Amino acid sequence: MAACVKQDQSESTPQSSQAPATAAIDGDERVMAAAQRIVRSLGTSKNVTEDMILILSNFDNRLSTITDLLTSGGGGDAGVAMKGKREEELECSEMVVLRFESQNQSSLPWEESPEEVLEYLNAVDEIIRLTEDMSLCSSDGEVIDRAERVLQIAMSRLEDEFRHVLIRNTVPLDAGQLYGSIRRVSLSFASNDGDSLDGFETSVEEESVSCYHERGASLGGDLFVDLVHPDAVLDLKEIADRMIRSGYEKECCQVYNSVRRDVLDECLAILGIEKVSIEEVQKIEWKCLDEKMRKWIQAVKVVIRVLLSGEKRLCDQIFAGSELIREVCFTETAKGCVLQLLNFAEAIAIGRRSSEKLFRILDMYEALAEAMPDLQMLFSSDTVDFVCSEAQGILEGLGEAAKGTFVEFENAVRNETSRKPVQGGEIHPLTRYVMNYVKLLVDYSDSLNVLLESSGVNSDNVEADDSGNLDLGIMSPIGQRLLSLISSLESNIEEKSKVYEDGGMQYVFLMNNILYIVQKVKGSELGKLLGDNWVRKRRGLVRQHATSYLRAAWSKVLSCLKDEGVGSGGSSSNISKVTLKERFKNFNLGFEEIYRNQTTWKVPDPQLREELRISISENVLPAYRAFLGRFGGHLESGRHAGKYIKYTPEDLESYLLDLFEGIPGVLNNTKKKISG
């Protein structure tokens, strides 16, 4: 239908300037005055006069009325004839306009009867033409007033039509389908319940430490949505063209801005972006705020890359004839939507800093940084300074918030002073939290390198490896900071090991935590950053702690299996059975105590657990076999021999398999474990 309207206009209606009619009056009067002087100078030669008029009318359609002047005889009679013809033309168009008003139709029948709509638009075109022509003749004041009244009625109708067509043909945002087109990246975040470095007194399992963190969902380059049904865009353009030509561009823009602002507000609500003040944002509890930040990250990409670019395209289509009107309408429509997004980001940037917010803040920073070029392209030079300077300020604020939060996290790790020992010497929650945190931070290296570039690093916290290949001078800022952070964690874990009174348990605790750190480094980009030598040094440290564990936990028991003090020469007369009984008794008591304690100790890594058991077996079983072989016969023939020789080497080997499982056990003549 819109195409039909356009074709009819091009064939039957002269194209006029889109500027308001009043702006062209002075120029029109000068043209007509010059034309009338030419007519008067032509005298009575009718043929010459008609030829000249034909030539002049081809230059400017406003001169076509001169033909009527001549054919009516010129002078006063011509004026009367011209006035009558204009009244007749106005009356025909007026009837069409008023017929729709008398019928009390709520809107023009765009879909049901395009012919009627075409008739109405043609009538409006004729009225516009008449008002433009008659404005040149002061004698037609009465007709001009009448035409302008009819035009005002028509413009009021078209204003309503513009609103109805725009609202009726708005395409609702399908967020589900839109998000289905977004490519997502999933990462683990080292947080259980949103707390930062508080509450590490309780051990937690690995599964409860990691939770889903959706980072940096990206939009495809060709993703777009229709904001208004395409078939209605031409109809909207036809209405806008006529309102602008009639000098009603202000009313047209007001309708457009009002409707489209409401649509964008509704889109923001669908995307989960609510209108909340900065004060309200800062009062929201973390779990709810985390969800709002996640939605904001998605929304800022969708709004700027999809919705606003679509809105810009829509403005360009509807207001194609006026660059100024296009820019004004788009700016007034989109500005509020952008500022609402920036308002939430500003609240986050100036809010309380805590470690659990860092990844969301970095996501917000990266999303806004990625959107900045699109913002600059969307807004014109007059408004880009305001909108983009606001966005740039918020971007810098988010960057400062991220950097400050990271620094506070470093300080929190360095100064975390919880003294309650972790049950079983297990991996400390601080170690789990920090290493999962660090592993995730590496994925933000590009952004953090920019933000941390101006910040120094305390190199005293960073220990170079045996080869001295950790050259801080050539490392990236984030590399230096993460090395410092891990060094602070290692120092903190060393201090926490001292809360265990049992020396053996201290080393089990250190082995568990250092190995966990190594595994997290090897399983991420940190491994490339720190290098194989750093990993080998930590693995060597684990082996050193294993040796120290054996010495601390088993030296006393193994001392019972030494020959010194029992007797010499192999003669039974030189063997002290009392000493021998005491040795077996003390060994049994020592082994049983170790079993009761160390079955409750936990070594989560199966390889380390197996290596420790093998190491114990290699030290304890040969010594026990040798001692039992040399001296067992001296007691086996006596009374109550089983009281002293309670275990065979095979029994001990079997019992050693129960160590480091974290399940309390009990020893008796029949091997039995009791689950705790």
Side-chain angles (χ1 to χ4, degrees):
M1 199 246 90
C4 178
V5 172
K6 186 174 182 181
Q7 181 180 1
D8 182 84
Q9 279 187 274
S10 64
E11 294 176 354
S12 62
T13 305
Q15 295 298 316
S16 301
S17 170
Q18 289 186 338
T22 55
I25 289 176
D26 292 340
D28 291 346
E29 287 178 343
R30 286 195 295 270
V31 172
M32 288 299 297
Q36 288 171 347
R37 285 196 298 272
I38 294 171
V39 170
R40 286 194 296 270
S41 68
L42 292 175
T44 59
S45 177
K46 191 170 189 287
N47 292 334
V48 174
T49 301
E50 290 178 352
D51 291 341
M52 182 60 69
I53 292 304
L54 179 62
I55 294 171
L56 290 173
S57 64
N58 287 333
F59 281 112
D60 195 314
N61 60 13
R62 291 168 295 184
L63 304 180
S64 62
T65 57
I66 297 178
T67 305
D68 298 328
L69 282 170
L70 293 175
T71 56
S72 63
D77 293 338
V80 172
M82 177 61 67
K83 182 176 180 181
K85 183 176 181 180
R86 286 169 175 165
E87 287 180 341
E88 182 180 346
E89 292 172 344
L90 175 59
E91 186 173 348
C92 291
S93 298
E94 183 181 34
M95 288 176 60
V96 175
V97 170
L98 296 180
R99 185 174 74 244
F100 278 93
E101 300 303 318
S102 64
Q103 293 172 353
N104 292 323
Q105 294 185 7
S106 59
S107 63
L108 298 176
W110 295 89
E111 291 84 11
E112 297 83 0
S113 181
E115 296 81 9
E116 290 186 69
V117 177
L118 179 59
E119 181 187 15
Y120 188 90
L121 295 179
N122 286 337
V124 172
D125 289 337
E126 182 65 20
I127 296 171
I128 294 173
R129 185 187 67 78
L130 288 172
T131 56
E132 291 173 346
D133 290 346
M134 289 187 296
S135 64
L136 304 177
C137 303
S138 58
S139 61
D140 289 343
E142 188 176 313
V143 180
I144 292 175
D145 290 341
R146 180 181 174 188
E148 288 179 347
R149 286 195 297 271
V150 177
L151 184 62
Q152 185 176 7
I153 294 171
M155 289 300 109
S156 178
R157 160 69 65 177
L158 289 184
E159 181 180 341
D160 290 339
E161 289 300 317
F162 193 74
R163 179 182 293 104
H164 292 156
V165 173
L166 196 56
I167 293 174
R168 187 168 57 244
N169 290 279
T170 294
V171 178
L173 178 66
D174 187 346
Q177 182 179 3
L178 186 61
Y179 285 151
S181 302
I182 297 177
R183 299 188 296 273
R184 292 185 172 88
V185 180
S186 305
L187 298 169
S188 293
F189 174 42
S191 175
N192 180 35
D193 56 4
D195 294 334
S196 53
L197 294 181
D198 303 325
F200 283 109
E201 292 80 6
T202 304
S203 177
V204 290
E205 294 296 327
E206 176 73 22
E207 290 75 17
S208 66
V209 174
S210 296
C211 71
Y212 183 75
H213 174 69
E214 181 183 279
R215 181 217 170 187
S218 59
L219 299 178
D222 58 348
L223 186 61
F224 71 93
V225 295
D226 286 322
L227 305 177
V228 172
H229 287 297
D231 292 342
V233 174
L234 286 178
D235 295 334
L236 292 167
K237 182 180 183 303
E238 295 290 351
I239 298 174
D241 286 347
R242 287 163 174 82
M243 293 187 71
I244 294 170
R245 283 170 54 197
S246 302
Y248 285 78
E249 65 273 13
K250 181 179 179 181
E251 290 79 359
C252 185
C253 290
Q254 287 176 340
V255 170
Y256 182 88
N257 294 336
S258 174
V259 172
R260 296 310 301 170
R261 274 198 298 260
D262 289 345
V263 171
L264 289 179
D265 286 344
E266 183 179 347
C267 289
L268 285 180
I270 292 172
L271 295 172
I273 306 300
E274 304 169 352
K275 287 186 177 180
V276 290
S277 67
I278 291 177
E279 293 76 13
E280 290 172 329
V281 171
Q282 294 178 353
K283 294 178 182 179
I284 300 174
E285 63 176 7
W286 164 242
K287 288 185 178 180
C288 181
L289 183 61
D290 177 61
E291 179 67 14
K292 290 183 180 297
M293 292 170 75
R294 183 185 66 81
K295 289 180 178 178
W296 186 95
I297 293 159
Q298 295 177 335
V300 75
K301 300 176 182 181
V302 170
V303 168
I304 295 174
R305 286 280 305 281
V306 180
L307 296 184
L308 293 191
S309 62
E311 195 67 40
K312 180 77 168 178
R313 187 170 59 250
L314 183 62
C315 276
D316 290 346
Q317 292 171 330
I318 294 176
F319 305 106
S322 173
E323 182 178 356
L324 177 60
I325 293 177
R326 290 200 304 267
E327 293 178 354
V328 169
C329 281
F330 173 75
T331 299
E332 292 303 312
T333 300
K335 184 171 61 177
C337 176
V338 175
L339 293 179
Q340 184 177 336
L341 286 170
L342 294 179
N343 185 69
F344 178 83
E346 182 182 8
I348 297 299
I350 65 177
R352 184 180 66 87
R353 294 172 180 173
S354 54
S355 59
E356 76 276 6
K357 294 181 182 178
L358 179 56
F359 301 107
R360 292 295 185 211
I361 293 175
L362 285 170
D363 284 338
M364 291 177 68
Y365 173 86
E366 291 184 348
L368 187 54
E370 182 182 345
M372 285 299 295
D374 293 308
L375 272 179
Q376 293 168 347
M377 292 179 62
L378 285 171
F379 289 92
S380 68
S381 57
D382 293 334
T383 55
V384 70
D385 288 341
F386 170 72
V387 175
C388 292
S389 63
E390 285 288 312
Q392 185 63 37
I394 300 302
L395 180 65
E396 293 172 0
L398 288 171
E400 287 298 318
K403 184 166 62 174
T405 302
F406 182 72
V407 171
E408 289 193 10
F409 178 72
E410 290 177 309
N411 294 333
V413 172
R414 191 175 298 115
N415 301 322
E416 203 282 313
T417 58
S418 61
R419 301 292 295 171
K420 185 176 181 179
V422 178
Q423 184 177 359
E426 239 257 68
I427 301 165
H428 199 282
L430 177 65
T431 306
R432 294 183 186 274
Y433 188 96
V434 171
M435 291 312 300
N436 279 283
Y437 204 96
V438 167
K439 183 178 178 181
L440 190 55
L441 278 175
V442 176
D443 292 284
Y444 295 88
S445 293
D446 291 342
S447 296
L448 286 170
N449 278 329
V450 173
L451 295 173
L452 298 173
E453 189 171 8
S454 60
S455 303
V457 61
N458 184 5
S459 58
D460 294 338
N461 290 334
V462 180
E463 181 183 357
D465 63 11
D466 294 335
S467 301
N469 70 332
L470 294 182
D471 186 353
L472 296 178
I474 62 173
M475 291 188 68
S476 64
I478 185 60
Q480 296 180 36
R481 300 298 283 264
L482 293 182
L483 275 173
S484 176
L485 183 61
I486 294 174
S487 295
S488 296
L489 173 63
E490 291 175 325
S491 298
N492 199 318
I493 291 301
E494 183 75 29
E495 285 298 313
K496 292 185 186 302
S497 70
K498 298 174 183 178
V499 303
Y500 297 100
E501 296 181 0
D502 190 308
M505 196 172 195
Q506 289 183 17
Y507 293 111
V508 169
F509 174 78
L510 288 171
M511 282 187 286
N512 282 333
N513 285 270
I514 293 173
L515 181 61
Y516 184 85
I517 293 172
V518 170
Q519 289 171 337
K520 287 295 180 180
V521 168
K522 286 195 67 178
S524 71
E525 291 296 314
L526 271 172
K528 298 177 182 178
L529 178 66
L530 303 183
D532 293 337
N533 285 334
W534 187 94
V535 173
R536 279 195 294 270
K537 180 178 180 181
R538 267 64 188 176
R539 287 198 178 278
L541 190 58
V542 172
R543 289 191 293 271
Q544 291 177 22
H545 289 323
T547 301
S548 299
Y549 155 78
L550 286 172
R551 184 168 55 250
W554 292 92
S555 293
K556 183 178 179 180
V557 172
L558 290 174
S559 66
C560 298
L561 303 179
K562 294 181 179 180
D563 293 351
E564 292 84 354
V566 177
S568 60
S571 173
S572 59
S573 60
N574 294 329
I575 300 299
S576 171
K577 290 187 177 182
V578 173
T579 302
L580 192 57
K581 289 179 180 179
E582 188 69 21
R583 291 286 184 87
F584 273 106
K585 180 181 178 181
N586 289 338
F587 174 84
N588 294 336
L589 291 173
F591 180 83
E592 289 165 1
E593 182 180 3
I594 288 175
Y595 181 86
R596 283 193 301 271
N597 290 334
Q598 297 191 24
T599 52
T600 65
W601 296 2
K602 183 68 177 290
V603 176
D605 183 72
Q607 183 176 345
L608 177 60
R609 186 167 61 243
E610 183 63 22
E611 289 175 355
L612 284 174
R613 290 169 179 170
I614 292 173
S615 180
I616 295 168
S617 298
E618 289 175 347
N619 281 270
V620 175
L621 295 182
Y624 185 75
R625 282 195 181 94
F627 190 81
L628 184 62
R630 287 194 300 273
F631 303 110
H634 296 285
L635 298 180
E636 287 175 351
S637 59
R639 296 177 59 189
H640 309 297
K643 180 180 179 181
Y644 303 102
I645 306 177
K646 296 174 65 174
Y647 308 108
T648 66
E650 291 71 25
D651 291 334
L652 296 182
E653 184 175 16
S654 177
Y655 284 126
L656 290 177
L657 297 177
D658 296 336
L659 302 184
F660 313 122
E661 292 286 352
I663 302 175
V666 63
L667 289 168
N668 49 35
N669 291 336
T670 302
K671 181 172 177 288
K672 180 180 180 182
K673 288 180 63 177
I674 301 176
S675 298

